Amino acid sequence: MANISTIYKLSFLAFTYFIQVYGTSCPVLECWFVQEKPGRGGGFPAAMIQEKSLLYINTDPESEQTKSQQGPSADISHDRVYYITDPAAILCSSSLHPPEGSVHKPQCEINPFMPQPSTVQWAVPLTDSAHSPIYLQADWYSAALQGLDGQLALSSVMRAPTATKEPTVVLSVSSRTPLVRSRLGEPVVLDCGFWAETSSPLSGSGFTVEWRYQFRGDGRLVLAYDGKTDRFAETKEKGAGLDFTALHETGNASLILQEAEVRHTGTYICTVYLPYLLAQVAVELEIVEPPSLSIFPSPLPLSVPGQVVKVQCEASGFFPLSLEFYWELTGPDGKVRPLGQGSVTGHRQGPDNTYSQTTRLELDSAKLDLGRGGEVTCVAVHPGGTRRARVTLNVIGVNGPSIEDSMAMVAVALGLYGLIKIVSWTFSSGSDDTNSQEKKVK
Ligand SMILES: *[C@@H]1O[C@H](CO)[C@@H](O)[C@H](O)[C@H]1NC(C)=O
């Protein structure tokens, strides 16, 4: 006995320490109670009742602590105050509890919930028997919450003995990554996990996990796994899977995509079914791939004042289609001059659905102050990152010949001299040959 009380004391100390250090006690949650207005229907769009609500969270079913907390403020009806027991403590997650005075608030909505046998093919086996257990006769609620800074999406189904307003969480489905960004070709994990109250008669008789994909009205089943019969539904999806060990051991239902492709962009809905219950969260996947730049021609030809040099820059392999170009000239003195965006072509889409786009620039030393040239840089700004490509522009013969210009001219002169020499050799030796042939013929 003494040992046990020591353990209690220690864990109490640890708990207090935890609260002091991390501040993850379970403060009250402000929530909206949303319900369809009864007595309508018959072709009318359903009207909604929306009322402010307070959720007191307790993690220990034995504890009466929460009820001694301060009462609700004046604008909240006594009927809309709930004392929730969440043994998994997911409702205590720090992302649902902003610091005092914070402008941003987590989102919370609680609705009445109606348990019913699932009609989804892969979840039907969960409710084989035609009888609904008496356990279902209670007040059921579902709560949907979004944490701060996109750190958590949570959906919980709760059961309260009739008219008690004291629900206990029976099923929670949550994602720690409601928004995922990935580059192309990388493996992607879309986080989803579930927790089921083991003392509930509905847990232990199997579960089903379903991942659906949605994008602009287009939807498809990505994967469905019936944990009761350990079977997969047939889908056309390639390269998507679950970690079964983790699923059965810890309720980790994360979707693993082997290689991110553009077509994966969209919303994924993770639904977990228990007999008569379901809860779901949405995970958004964004594919963001910055462009590769190439500049042409490279190197640029030497130019003289008055000459127009055309240069183009191609950005390829990027996604999404959101790109801005601009050009810059960095002079020998290090000064950067903007050269505008050039003339940008329409985009093209490749077989992998990534985009490419080109900008063309005319470097006209008569119109632009190019000085003696410098580094011409093409800059492409994309949500995936900014990319640059450079090429050197040499304008010769500006402001009287400088040393470099003279050297360049000498080089050109030497080159020309060499060329003339070669040509004359070729011609003279050629004529020698014809001479000798003529001699032979003679
Ligand atoms: C769930 O599984 C995925 C993929 O195996 C892993 O990346 C993730 O960390 C797991 N989540 C938890 C909470 O263990």
Side-chain angles (χ1 to χ4, degrees):
M1 285 310 269
N3 279 345
I4 291 174
S5 68
T6 320
I7 287 169
Y8 274 137
K9 272 181 203 155
L10 280 177
S11 47
F12 178 74
L13 281 179
F15 185 57
T16 334
Y17 175 75
F18 190 65
I19 288 175
Q20 281 168 354
V21 173
Y22 298 105
T24 47
S25 62
C26 254
V28 62
L29 272 171
E30 285 173 29
C31 207
W32 288 103
F33 178 86
V34 180
Q35 184 178 28
E36 227 171 88
K37 215 171 204 161
R40 301 261 301 204
F44 289 103
M48 293 290 172
I49 301 175
Q50 185 166 324
E51 292 170 80
K52 271 192 183 173
S53 164
L54 282 184
L55 314 182
Y56 289 94
I57 318 295
N58 184 4
T59 56
D60 179 4
E62 304 303 319
S63 152
E64 294 285 306
Q65 223 175 14
T66 48
K67 272 172 251 177
S68 64
Q69 281 170 344
Q70 65 179 59
S73 56
D75 62 338
I76 295 174
S77 149
H78 191 70
D79 273 357
R80 294 290 163 245
V81 179
Y82 296 93
Y83 297 94
I84 298 175
T85 303
D86 179 15
I90 308 173
L91 287 167
C92 299
S93 158
S94 59
S95 78
L96 294 175
H97 299 283
E100 198 77 35
S102 149
V103 185
H104 298 285
K105 293 247 181 327
Q107 291 170 35
C108 175
E109 184 178 315
I110 182 167
N111 322 94
F113 178 86
M114 181 77 87
Q116 49 193 301
S118 174
T119 52
V120 176
Q121 185 196 333
W122 30 91
V124 163
L126 295 176
T127 44
D128 279 340
S129 79
H131 301 291
S132 313
I134 290 177
Y135 176 79
L136 294 181
Q137 293 169 15
D139 292 340
W140 289 84
Y141 300 93
S142 79
L145 296 99
Q146 296 279 337
L148 296 166
D149 308 321
Q151 283 180 39
L152 180 75
L154 168 65
S155 169
S156 294
V157 177
M158 303 178 271
R159 174 188 184 273
T162 307
T164 60
K165 311 269 182 226
E166 290 175 24
T168 299
V169 176
V170 176
L171 172 66
S172 278
V173 176
S174 62
S175 174
R176 295 170 304 165
T177 58
L179 177 62
V180 178
R181 270 186 165 205
S182 171
R183 290 191 56 173
L184 286 177
E186 289 179 349
V188 180
V189 174
L190 303 179
D191 184 74
C192 178
F194 78 96
W195 175 89
E197 171 58 281
T198 45
S199 68
S200 157
L202 302 184
S203 82
S205 38
F207 63 88
T208 293
V209 173
E210 177 196 285
W211 277 97
R212 293 192 73 82
Y213 167 87
Q214 264 167 357
F215 184 67
R216 294 190 184 148
D218 173 30
R220 65 170 188 268
L221 179 70
V222 175
L223 178 154
Y225 173 72
D226 176 357
K228 189 178 184 185
T229 57
D230 189 27
R231 237 181 274 164
F232 260 118
E234 291 279 323
T235 65
K236 293 199 193 80
E237 194 75 25
K238 297 261 186 312
L242 300 173
D243 176 345
F244 294 105
T245 320
L247 177 61
H248 283 276
E249 281 174 4
T250 64
N252 184 341
S254 301
L255 182 69
I256 304 162
L257 302 175
Q258 279 165 12
E259 222 174 89
E261 294 173 35
V262 166
R263 68 180 181 90
H264 289 135
T265 303
T267 305
Y268 291 76
I269 295 162
C270 170
T271 309
V272 176
Y273 298 85
L274 289 189
Y276 306 97
L277 310 181
L278 71 89
Q280 56 186 202
V281 291
V283 180
E284 198 80 35
L285 174 60
E286 277 180 19
I287 303 295
V288 180
E289 183 68 20
S292 312
L293 292 193
S294 57
I295 211 161
F296 179 84
S298 182
L300 289 175
L302 285 180
S303 77
V304 294
Q307 191 184 352
V308 177
V309 176
K310 290 181 184 170
V311 56
Q312 73 177 46
C313 172
E314 185 185 33
S316 57
F318 62 91
F319 191 87
L321 182 58
S322 162
L323 189 76
E324 266 178 58
F325 280 116
Y326 62 91
W327 293 89
E328 281 175 354
L329 177 69
T330 311
D333 52 357
K335 267 199 195 134
V336 179
R337 256 160 292 181
L339 297 175
Q341 61 164 18
S343 62
V344 180
T345 64
H347 61 271
R348 297 171 301 284
Q349 195 163 20
D352 63 352
N353 297 315
T354 61
Y355 295 103
S356 49
Q357 210 165 9
T358 300
T359 173
R360 298 197 174 87
L361 184 69
E362 296 200 342
L363 291 162
D364 183 347
S365 52
K367 287 188 203 146
L368 296 163
D369 173 25
L370 300 176
R372 308 189 337 84
E375 200 103 81
V376 176
T377 309
C378 164
V379 186
V381 182
H382 186 265
T386 299
R387 295 290 184 269
R388 290 162 197 276
R390 292 181 182 84
V391 68
T392 305
L393 172 72
N394 278 312
V395 184
I396 53 176
V398 181
N399 299 336
S402 67
I403 294 172
E404 289 95 329
D405 288 346
S406 319
M407 281 166 64
M409 282 178 194
V410 167
V412 170
L414 282 176
L416 276 176
Y417 176 74
L419 196 67
I420 292 165
K421 263 291 183 197
I422 289 166
V423 169
S424 66
W425 277 338
T426 320
F427 271 92
S428 58
S429 63
S431 57
D432 280 357
D433 280 346
T434 38
N435 283 348
S436 55
Q437 273 171 2
E438 278 168 6
K439 277 172 198 162
K440 272 179 199 162
V441 171
K442 280 173 189 171

